[in-house]
Amino acid sequence: MTSLSRALTIRLGLLGIVLFAAFIAAVLAFTFITEDPGALRNDVTSQIIQQSVRPSTGSGLQVEKTAGLVQIERASPRLWYLVSDGRSVVEYAPELRPGLPIDIRLDGPTIAAQMRVGGDNALAFDVIEKDGSRVIVATGGGVPGWDLILGYFLRAIAGPALAISVVFGIMIAAAIAMSVSYISARLRSAAEAAARIDPRAPRGLLPTEETPVELMPLTTALNSALDQIAGNMEVQRRFMNNVAHELRTPLAVMRSRVDALPDEPTRLKLTTDLSRLTTIVSSMLQLARLHATELPFEPLQLNALARSVLAELAPLVLSHGVDVALEEEGDLHAMIDANEPTVRAALANLVDNALRHAKARSIILVRVLDGAVLEVIDDGVGIAATKRNQAMEPFNRMSPSSTGAGLGLTIVRDIMAAHGGSIAILGNEGGGTTVRLAFPPDGTSRD
């Protein structure tokens, strides 16, 4: 997975390195262009000689033949240099040395100094401190290689370059942090807006006012796609609603004709098939209505509603030879913000499902916890853990012999989604299934 923050950090870091290298190159180029060539070569030669000077011993001052000094001597036919500590002198090619502007054998105190002479007879004259002694280094005619010249300048600018690199690095790091923070904030804002989109009506709601120009094509495309999806969903809802409405009258006519058939076995078989078809149509109409309108919510006492629904379903329960028990735990007077007709339909669907799968002469338990959680428990064959999510998909009947439409749990799932609640299918230790509906407490947002 590609990280925008990491990619931006790498690119800005590389840009900083390139800019810093370009700055160093520009400084070197400026120096090479503006510096007198003879003085430049003598500066480098003087530095190489100064690095080769060794402290005075019993035999006097010494100049070690380092690799750099040997390289200059070989490449410079007009090279001469002179090194003195006021007591001894080391001189190379004295016959090439011109007259110096100062007496080499110094008497009295001398401060560190530099003198440069350009032109045809360019020379460098330095008075330096070396191991507590004053040392004079004078040279001219040196032709150091570009490697020595470049090394000299890199050492010369190492301190300022390090300081500049630290400041530049801090600036680049700050720019990276600010850029990443800005991009993350804009993406987070878009993600939060996307999370607030109602899946039942996914219209283009991603903000465009504060969206960066670079993200505008993505935001616009997503909004357009969401509008198309919402339009297609609306067409499907209208189609399902119209089909359900159009089928209700023909089904009623068919039911009256089937009831009039004299052949009882045929009548019973057709009645069973017709009942299942009627259930499917009714469920489709219920789903269409659930998605077509905004549900009105009001304070509702779940305990009282559960008692009322079970009382209404008592004849249906008795016809199945099954008992239903109601348990109430916790706060019996707690309120939730809900739509009463759809919550009634959800509980009725769960009890109907439990009746279809419960064993004969068993007990279906309906439990209300703290006025916000509703559980329906049966002792049927249960639902495998791997198939519990699948059980809530439309037209999914868990048993081939089931007479249901396969829409009951789908309707319950969508009702809970409309309430901002959750539905969970759980297994029981002794067999059977527990379906748990958890509603938000009263006043909690359903976004």
Side-chain angles (χ1 to χ4, degrees):
M1 183 179 297
T2 302
S3 169
L4 289 178
S5 299
R6 185 183 300 112
L8 180 60
T9 300
I10 293 174
R11 282 164 173 75
L12 286 178
L14 292 176
L15 177 61
I17 293 173
V18 171
L19 291 177
F20 183 71
F23 170 75
I24 296 298
V27 171
L28 293 175
F30 177 79
T31 302
F32 293 153
I33 292 173
T34 58
E35 187 81 14
D36 180 87
L40 175 62
R41 290 192 293 267
N42 287 332
D43 272 342
V44 176
T45 303
S46 179
Q47 288 293 322
I48 298 297
I49 296 171
Q50 292 174 31
Q51 295 169 8
S52 303
V53 174
R54 298 295 177 260
S56 299
T57 61
S59 59
L61 193 66
Q62 294 183 354
V63 176
E64 182 181 346
K65 297 292 186 178
T66 60
L69 183 56
V70 171
Q71 177 183 341
I72 294 176
E73 290 177 352
R74 290 176 179 174
S76 310
R78 297 183 58 81
L79 172 66
W80 65 268
Y81 60 81
L82 182 149
V83 179
S84 173
D85 60 359
R87 296 182 298 274
S88 59
V89 176
V90 176
E91 193 167 7
Y92 177 83
E95 68 278 6
L96 299 177
R97 174 175 58 83
L100 296 178
I102 189 171
D103 186 7
I104 287 301
R105 302 193 60 86
L106 297 175
D107 294 323
T110 303
I111 60 172
Q114 282 187 334
M115 184 172 64
R116 297 293 182 266
V117 177
D120 295 335
N121 295 318
L123 63 86
F125 184 88
D126 296 283
V127 179
I128 62 172
E129 291 289 334
K130 189 76 170 181
D131 299 322
S133 301
R134 293 175 292 111
V135 177
I136 296 174
V137 178
T139 184
V143 185
W146 283 107
D147 55 336
L148 296 178
I149 295 176
L150 186 59
Y152 162 73
F153 273 100
L154 289 178
R155 285 190 298 271
I157 65 174
L162 179 60
I164 293 174
S165 64
V166 170
V167 174
F168 196 72
I170 294 174
M171 294 174 59
I172 289 293
I176 291 174
M178 293 173 61
S179 300
V180 170
S181 175
Y182 176 78
I183 293 175
S184 299
R186 300 285 79 77
L187 291 177
R188 192 181 304 112
S189 175
E192 291 173 353
R196 291 192 295 268
I197 295 177
D198 186 351
R200 297 169 299 166
R203 293 289 180 184
L205 298 174
L206 296 181
T208 57
E209 295 80 5
E210 298 182 359
T211 301
V213 175
E214 293 79 7
L215 295 179
M216 189 63 72
L218 175 62
T219 303
T220 303
L222 287 175
N223 282 339
S224 177
L226 289 172
D227 289 340
Q228 293 179 19
I229 293 172
N232 292 336
M233 291 175 63
E234 184 63 30
V235 171
Q236 292 178 358
R237 290 168 186 162
R238 287 200 301 267
F239 173 76
M240 190 164 61
N241 194 18
N242 292 337
V243 169
H245 273 293
E246 293 297 327
L247 288 177
R248 294 183 71 180
T249 300
L251 286 175
V253 173
M254 288 177 62
R255 184 60 181 264
S256 63
R257 292 178 179 176
V258 168
D259 289 341
L261 289 176
D263 187 353
E264 185 171 353
T266 302
R267 185 176 69 251
L268 291 176
K269 187 175 184 303
L270 289 176
T271 299
T272 300
D273 293 341
L274 191 58
S275 296
R276 182 169 180 273
L277 184 58
T278 302
T279 301
I280 293 175
V281 172
S282 298
S283 298
M284 290 174 61
L285 185 59
Q286 192 173 9
L287 272 176
R289 288 172 176 171
L290 180 62
H291 291 287
T293 59
E294 185 73 22
L295 297 178
F297 289 82
E298 59 185 358
L300 178 67
Q301 193 178 80
L302 194 57
N303 297 70
L305 182 139
R307 291 192 291 268
S308 174
V309 171
L310 292 182
E312 293 175 358
L313 295 177
L316 177 64
V317 172
L318 293 175
S319 68
H320 281 76
V322 176
D323 291 333
V324 174
L326 174 64
E327 287 187 2
E328 300 176 80
E329 300 180 9
D331 188 352
L332 303 182
H333 304 289
M335 306 291 287
I336 61 172
D337 198 24
N339 176 261
E340 181 176 352
T342 56
V343 176
R344 282 181 172 274
L347 179 56
N349 269 311
L350 293 182
V351 173
D352 182 63
N353 271 351
L355 289 174
R356 295 176 190 275
H357 299 95
K359 298 176 181 178
R361 295 184 297 278
S362 63
I363 297 178
I364 295 173
L365 178 62
V366 177
R367 180 184 294 144
V368 182
L369 306 174
D370 293 319
V373 177
L374 181 66
E375 293 181 343
V376 178
I377 306 168
D378 65 59
D379 61 352
V381 295
I383 302 175
T386 56
K387 295 183 178 181
R388 288 172 187 169
N389 288 333
Q390 180 184 350
M392 290 184 282
E393 295 301 320
F395 302 105
N396 185 5
R397 293 187 296 160
M398 302 308 297
S399 172
S401 60
S402 174
T403 59
L407 289 172
L409 287 177
T410 303
I411 294 173
V412 176
R413 179 198 65 187
D414 290 354
I415 289 173
M416 295 307 297
H419 285 76
S422 63
I423 176 173
I425 301 178
L426 310 172
N428 302 330
E429 291 184 3
T433 303
T434 296
V435 181
R436 176 181 298 159
L437 307 183
F439 292 86
D442 185 21
T444 302
S445 173
R446 296 180 298 276
D447 292 343

